[in-house]
Amino acid sequence: MAKLNVNGKAFDVKVDPDTPLLWAIREQVGLTGTKYGCGVAQCGACSVHLNGELARSCAIPVSTLKPTDKIVTIEGLSRDGSHPVQKAWAAVDVPQCGYCQSGQIMAAAALLKKKPKPSDTDIDTAMTNICRCGTYQRIRAAVHMAASGGTAAVTTNSQKKA
Amino acid sequence: MARTSIASSRSAKVSRRNVLVGAAAAGGGLALGFHVPALEAAVPSQRPIAAAKGAEVNAWVVIGNDETVTIRVARTEMGQGSLTGLAQLVAEELNCDWKKVRTEYPTPGQSLARQRVWKDFSTGGSRGIRGSHDYVREGGAAAREMLIQAAAQQWGAKPGECVAAGGIITHKPSGRTVTYGKVAAAAAKLEPPKSVKLKDPKDWTIAGKPLKRLDTADKLTGKQVYGVDVKLPGMVSAAIKDAPIFGSEIKSYDEAKIKAMPGVRRLVRVNATTVAVVADTWWQAKKALDALPIQYEDSPHAKESSATIAARLKEGLEPEAKNVFVGNKNGDALAAIAGAAKKVEAVYSTPFLHHATMEPMNCTALYTPEKCEVWSPTQNGEGSLAAAAEASGLPLNKCEVYKMPPGGGFGRRGRQDYVTQAVAIAKQMPGTPVKLIWSREEDTQHGYYRPITRCRLAAGLDDKGALVGLHVRLSGQSIVAYQQPAALQNGMDSRMFQGMWAEPGEAQIGYSVPNLLIEHAMRNTHVPVGPWRGVNTNQNAVYLECFMDEVAKAAGKDPLEFRRALMAKYPKHLGILNTVAEKAGWGKPLPQGVFRGIAQHMGYGSYSAAVAEVSVNRGRVKVHRMVLGVDCGHAVNPDQIAAQVEGSVAFGLGAALYQEITVKDGRVVESNFDNYEIMRLEAFPKIETVVAPSGDFWGGVGEPTICVASPSVLNAIHAAIGKPVRSLPLKNVDLRSA
């Protein structure tokens, strides 16, 4: 048994103590926006906020958590997709397959909380989640856009009519 | 109603839906009005079938009373954007309001019940749009004509007096208007037109525009339901383990060791080499499986390693090697090179690579003796249907596939092994839905890898530095030999020569060489192989384009000028190369320590080129900027094409930098992202994409540019350090200056 506070709600979850937070969130709490990618804290698809800090939930056994620890998942980042990071992600059309994007968005939101105007180097350092579709250029652009309140220019592409 | 049997199901609700869809086809256009049961409404992912509310004007277009336009898409959206692109093509011809457009997948079962009205579901080879643009546009155009005809009939007017735009039909003489939603039910009862005229792409207003994707919103909030997220009442979870050495049969396992572990329901022998644990939750299943002692029979492959495989491939490069096939030939290359004033030779190699989709392989199956349903994140819905039928032993029309949006495909999900496994497990537990999820380790060690190849190249130059002969000998594994040996042509796999074919249209070589010989020594291994985004264009472009730079250097010529001199007969190859060179500022000064490389190649009916700007400091590579261009004939959504180009760099260049699947004691060594590294944001260069559609053909987009990403960077590294890089990945290569 473990007591988890997820997105402001308390849950009693019946799991073995070594169960990773990721699987408790997905299978017991029933929120599937947080994704399994590697199970070894390498890819960041499972990123959540733990007491306001970015955390890779696949490598956190529930036994290490207290009932007072505040866990926020992608479902709890905003009620309706209106977090500035989510809005910037939509404006730049970041996702391709989308599977890693919950984690990317959680990582970006955590970065902007600490550094509201991150430099490219800050983004390089903070955004270490894997995206196999390769949306990195748009992730960078969307982080800058979210930081600037939605005004940063993002396009680098051109079309040539033959 | 004959179709009732097709849809026979333990769920009356599902069967009713299928009957109605079938009846609509049989009746030539019965309006589809579906009641959505409360349970399914609460969990929309449960049985996602084509069931839009409204009138089905034809198979591609359903229009609701509320003016919602639902466009059916048969190809799988796995990130590449063709869901939006195909909808744009239908909407363009339909003349509807783009803001009212949504999409849905018909199921393979629905399509089968309607004589495959949605045609090909297979999503690979960058064919999503180029392989269906004609019939989906015709579907949109036919629906538009039927809507106009219905409005005209209602007004007692001639269809020719009416025009449609933005989902509104106007009777020109009287100025009367009516919306699509008001006439859709009447239109659905009309005979479809015998032929339709498609628009000239220069008149497009929806297609050809950089519109936002239709499938983004739920990917930002965690609401998108992937295969791994499927939830069904009473569902259990399964973890699976196939033999570490490919094909090793299980001798025994000790079930008693895990029987009492929390949540464990049962252990299932899936096939001769594979075992699965079924438990209440996946974590419980995985934990128990990890604790299960398994013994395997001795394997004939136990002594295979990367070294034994390399030796086999090296033998295939010898002049006297057997089992060699000719893919492209003119003149006498060997004699021309032997008699040349100057000779250049090199041997290149590329490793096995894994797809490593972010979402590991998974599938959910529900089996009863009457019906088999699967929830499949697949690139080929009909392939999943066939696999479900075979594994369940039920006829196709007693099986159904709900296509879940895959978290990445890249070719891996064209295979159906995960469906076969899920059904085999579910068959042991009739009536209980089973969700099978592979661990990352299982996914990494049981892929269908990009084949390993080596390549020996030789070129002859005359005394003026002109290329007089080129010999390319590939040696390595064939996908066709592994996956469809019956499709070999007298033993030859012509796809080995992708991008080096003489024939135009798909993957033609872009150089005129007076004496040319391109061969493949078939050297297969026990490692399963399959298409990996870009397939053989990747290796072939590295070999050919990097060697071109070596030959240009030997000739004392600029790499771009050297190529141009060989490309006069290939105007489209040359066109995109020139466009990219110009955009990149080829020949203009660069900051100290930064060097350029260039490459061009053709695949999937499209022409690609790239220029990379790279610095190498103390052996460390930094890619600063890349300009990539693609001529795909028609550009349906330029922004999504740019997204594919950007993504292809991460996929192709990431592989060149870090990735290899190695073999030891017959099994794959790499297991997870800590030893199979993926490119991350920090290493991703600034990408500038030029979309340059020349307009008289339809080329693919998802794959074509990946093959130029690596050679352009490798050629820049060559320029930077003064020696060519002939072996990948770069992490194994000493890049300190020569």
Side-chain angles (χ1 to χ4, degrees):
Chain A
M1 283 291 280
K3 286 183 188 299
L4 298 178
N5 183 317
V6 181
N7 301 332
K9 284 187 203 159
F11 294 87
D12 281 315
V13 296
K14 268 200 212 168
V15 292
D16 281 358
D18 66 348
T19 304
L21 174 60
L22 167 67
W23 292 100
I25 290 170
R26 289 182 55 83
E27 299 198 304
Q28 274 80 27
V29 177
L31 296 174
T32 54
T34 308
K35 294 294 191 264
Y36 167 63
C38 67
V40 292
Q42 280 287 317
C43 76
C46 65
S47 298
V48 299
H49 296 170
L50 177 57
N51 300 322
E53 297 281 333
L54 188 64
R56 291 187 171 168
S57 64
C58 74
I60 302 172
V62 294
S63 59
T64 65
L65 297 168
K66 300 186 293 291
T68 51
D69 285 330
K70 288 191 167 50
I71 298 150
V72 175
T73 70
I74 185 71
E75 291 90 348
L77 187 65
S78 69
R79 274 173 49 192
D80 49 3
S82 62
H83 188 281
V85 170
Q86 289 167 313
K87 283 162 75 176
W89 248 243
V92 184
D93 236 2
V94 171
Q96 290 187 29
C97 88
Y99 191 81
C100 75
Q101 298 296 345
S102 297
Q104 302 281 4
I105 288 168
M106 296 307 280
L111 167 65
L112 291 175
K113 211 168 149 191
K114 281 193 174 158
K115 292 198 170 160
K117 301 280 177 199
S119 66
D120 274 335
T121 309
D122 294 332
I123 295 172
D124 284 348
T125 309
M127 300 296 293
T128 58
N129 291 13
I130 292 174
C131 171
R132 196 68 175 120
C133 299
T135 62
Y136 297 126
Q137 180 147 304
R138 289 164 193 246
I139 287 175
R140 186 188 297 282
V143 172
H144 283 307
M145 178 181 264
S148 69
T151 56
V154 294
T155 182
T156 55
N157 303 307
S158 60
Q159 187 173 10
K160 178 184 175 245
K161 280 282 179 203
Chain B
M1 227 191 243
R3 283 170 197 282
T4 309
S5 62
I6 290 167
S8 90
S9 163
R10 46 157 210 97
S11 160
K13 292 161 190 164
V14 172
S15 116
R16 184 178 135 71
R17 284 182 169 190
N18 284 358
V19 167
L20 279 174
V21 171
L30 261 177
L32 297 180
F34 287 121
H35 165 71
V36 179
L39 179 68
E40 296 191 11
V43 188
S45 69
Q46 279 211 329
R47 285 183 174 76
I49 66 171
K53 285 185 186 173
E56 185 185 281
V57 183
N58 63 29
W60 304 100
V61 176
V62 179
I63 298 179
N65 289 332
D66 61 354
E67 306 296 334
T68 302
V69 174
T70 302
I71 293 173
R72 264 79 175 264
V73 176
R75 310 279 184 167
T76 296
E77 174 59 58
M78 50 194 165
Q80 82 281 29
S82 60
L83 181 91
T84 303
L86 288 165
Q88 283 177 265
L89 288 172
V90 175
E92 177 64 57
E93 297 292 341
L94 183 60
N95 284 0
C96 65
D97 179 355
W98 178 250
K99 289 198 255 340
K100 304 272 168 54
V101 169
R102 57 181 292 275
T103 60
E104 67 180 9
Y105 286 146
T107 67
Q110 288 180 305
S111 194
L112 188 70
R114 295 176 62 172
Q115 292 76 48
R116 293 191 77 223
V117 66
W118 288 288
K119 303 187 196 295
D120 194 356
F121 279 61
S122 166
T123 312
S126 298
R127 283 191 306 268
I129 285 177
R130 68 182 175 126
S132 49
H133 66 88
D134 46 359
Y135 58 76
V136 304
R137 286 189 294 154
E138 283 161 11
R144 178 194 70 221
E145 293 303 309
M146 291 159 77
L147 290 158
I148 289 173
Q149 196 189 336
Q153 280 181 4
Q154 186 178 303
W155 291 327
K158 290 177 185 154
E161 296 170 351
C162 303
V163 292
I168 298 166
I169 302 156
T170 302
H171 181 234
K172 285 189 285 185
S174 67
R176 277 190 293 188
T177 63
V178 66
T179 59
Y180 278 5
K182 298 279 193 299
V183 295
K189 294 181 182 129
L190 298 172
E191 279 293 315
K194 291 209 165 42
S195 67
V196 288
K197 189 172 178 296
L198 298 179
K199 292 181 187 176
D200 187 323
K202 74 173 163 44
D203 299 326
W204 283 351
T205 59
I206 297 172
K209 305 299 168 197
L211 303 180
K212 288 274 187 292
R213 293 174 68 113
L214 294 170
D215 57 339
T216 298
D218 285 352
K219 294 174 179 172
L220 308 179
T221 56
K223 282 188 189 141
Q224 167 106 21
V225 177
Y226 296 86
V228 292
D229 304 326
V230 167
K231 286 180 206 164
L232 295 163
M235 187 177 78
V236 294
S237 292
I240 198 159
K241 189 175 181 61
D242 197 350
I245 303 177
F246 300 106
S248 277
E249 297 201 359
I250 295 169
K251 191 193 280 179
S252 64
Y253 44 73
D254 189 356
E255 190 170 357
K257 284 270 197 308
I258 65 159
K259 235 160 110 181
M261 287 179 72
V264 171
R265 298 282 190 101
R266 62 192 297 166
L267 196 143
V268 177
R269 177 77 178 261
V270 181
N271 60 37
T273 63
T274 311
V275 65
V277 173
V278 181
D280 293 339
T281 68
W282 187 77
W283 180 253
Q284 291 170 330
K286 182 195 183 302
K287 217 175 133 181
L289 183 62
D290 288 346
L292 179 71
I294 310 172
Q295 279 78 45
Y296 296 92
E297 302 286 355
D298 290 340
S299 165
H301 306 306
K303 292 202 169 87
E304 291 285 1
S305 67
S306 291
T308 62
I309 291 168
R312 193 172 315 151
L313 268 55
K314 280 176 188 165
E315 182 277 322
L317 297 180
E318 297 298 327
E320 64 278 11
K322 299 282 184 287
N323 209 18
V324 175
F325 301 93
V326 175
N328 193 350
K329 182 179 192 299
N330 60 265
D332 187 342
L334 300 182
I337 295 165
K342 196 168 193 181
K343 205 169 154 183
V344 187
E345 274 189 305
V347 174
Y348 283 74
S349 65
T350 55
F352 287 116
L353 291 173
H354 182 46
H355 302 81
T357 58
M358 283 306 293
E359 180 192 33
M361 296 303 108
N362 68 89
C363 180
T364 299
L366 173 54
Y367 170 88
T368 68
E370 293 77 40
K371 187 168 175 83
C372 179
E373 297 171 278
V374 299
W375 288 255
S376 179
T378 180
Q379 291 178 232
N380 186 351
E382 291 182 320
S384 289
L385 188 71
E390 194 177 341
S392 67
L394 293 169
L396 284 172
N397 62 14
K398 306 246 178 185
C399 298
E400 183 56 293
V401 175
Y402 310 111
K403 290 201 312 174
M404 307 310 293
F410 316 119
R412 175 65 181 86
R413 286 188 156 102
R415 300 292 293 187
Q416 305 295 338
D417 46 332
Y418 43 90
V419 175
T420 302
Q421 292 173 344
V423 172
I425 300 164
K427 205 175 169 184
Q428 303 296 313
M429 308 179 75
T432 300
V434 179
K435 177 159 72 177
L436 167 68
I437 305 175
W438 291 24
S439 67
R440 174 58 60 192
E441 289 77 10
E442 184 71 12
D443 189 281
T444 306
Q445 302 198 323
H446 287 90
Y448 292 90
Y449 304 94
R450 194 181 95 177
I452 189 166
T453 59
R454 299 176 88 85
C455 184
R456 196 188 70 222
L457 303 102
L461 295 165
D462 67 14
D463 53 6
K464 297 188 183 67
L467 184 63
V468 294
L470 177 65
H471 179 206
V472 179
R473 165 75 69 83
L474 298 160
S475 173
Q477 195 161 3
S478 150
I479 295 168
V480 175
Y482 178 77
Q483 294 197 350
Q484 303 166 273
L488 292 171
Q489 302 145 316
N490 296 321
M492 181 170 85
D493 174 1
S494 62
R495 194 162 58 172
M496 292 302 303
F497 308 105
Q498 199 181 12
M500 302 196 294
W501 296 341
E503 300 75 23
E506 177 69 18
Q508 187 183 26
I509 193 167
Y511 302 115
S512 303
V513 184
N515 297 284
L516 180 70
L517 177 61
I518 304 181
E519 308 167 301
H520 169 227
M522 178 83 73
R523 294 295 181 273
N524 295 319
T525 79
H526 76 297
V527 178
V529 292
W532 183 100
R533 190 178 186 177
V535 196
N536 291 92
T537 64
N538 291 305
Q539 303 94 313
N540 292 346
V542 165
Y543 302 149
L544 190 59
E545 288 302 289
C546 292
F547 188 64
M548 273 292 162
D549 266 37
E550 293 199 45
V551 180
K553 193 175 175 186
K557 294 184 181 171
D558 172 79
L560 174 59
E561 291 309 324
F562 186 77
R563 285 176 173 78
R564 279 176 175 158
L566 302 170
M567 295 177 73
K569 288 186 183 157
Y570 300 95
K572 287 195 191 289
H573 292 76
L574 180 59
I576 197 67
L577 182 69
N578 283 334
T579 297
V580 168
E582 185 190 346
K583 169 94 175 168
W586 185 265
K588 291 189 180 152
L590 281 164
Q592 174 96 30
V594 179
F595 296 84
R596 285 197 188 93
I598 195 163
Q600 68 82 23
H601 205 69
M602 182 189 187
Y604 306 92
S606 291
Y607 305 83
S608 300
V611 169
E613 294 175 8
V614 171
S615 59
V616 184
N617 284 316
R618 272 170 273 160
R620 283 186 61 87
V621 176
K622 173 80 184 166
V623 185
H624 303 277
R625 172 191 183 224
M626 291 179 72
V627 178
L628 294 100
V630 59
D631 176 1
C632 48
H634 291 90
V636 174
N637 186 323
D639 190 50
Q640 284 311 309
I641 294 171
Q644 287 310 292
V645 172
E646 292 158 21
S648 77
V649 172
F651 213 81
L653 186 55
L657 288 169
Y658 316 119
Q659 292 163 12
E660 63 176 337
I661 287 290
T662 60
V663 178
K664 188 169 181 254
D665 303 330
R667 53 177 288 175
V668 164
V669 174
E670 292 71 26
S671 56
N672 204 321
F673 295 132
D674 50 354
N675 50 24
Y676 192 78
E677 203 179 330
I678 310 291
M679 179 184 266
R680 296 173 198 254
L681 181 142
E682 172 268 327
F684 194 71
K686 179 172 179 279
I687 306 293
E688 295 169 38
T689 301
V690 190
V691 181
S694 58
D696 53 350
F697 64 98
W698 289 77
V701 164
E703 292 169 277
T705 55
I706 182 171
C707 67
V708 289
S710 298
S712 61
V713 168
L714 295 172
N715 285 338
I717 293 171
H718 182 178
I721 66 174
K723 61 180 179 185
V725 177
R726 293 173 177 157
S727 170
L728 294 178
L730 286 165
K731 69 170 183 177
N732 297 339
V733 181
D734 182 356
L735 295 178
R736 284 168 297 184
S737 297

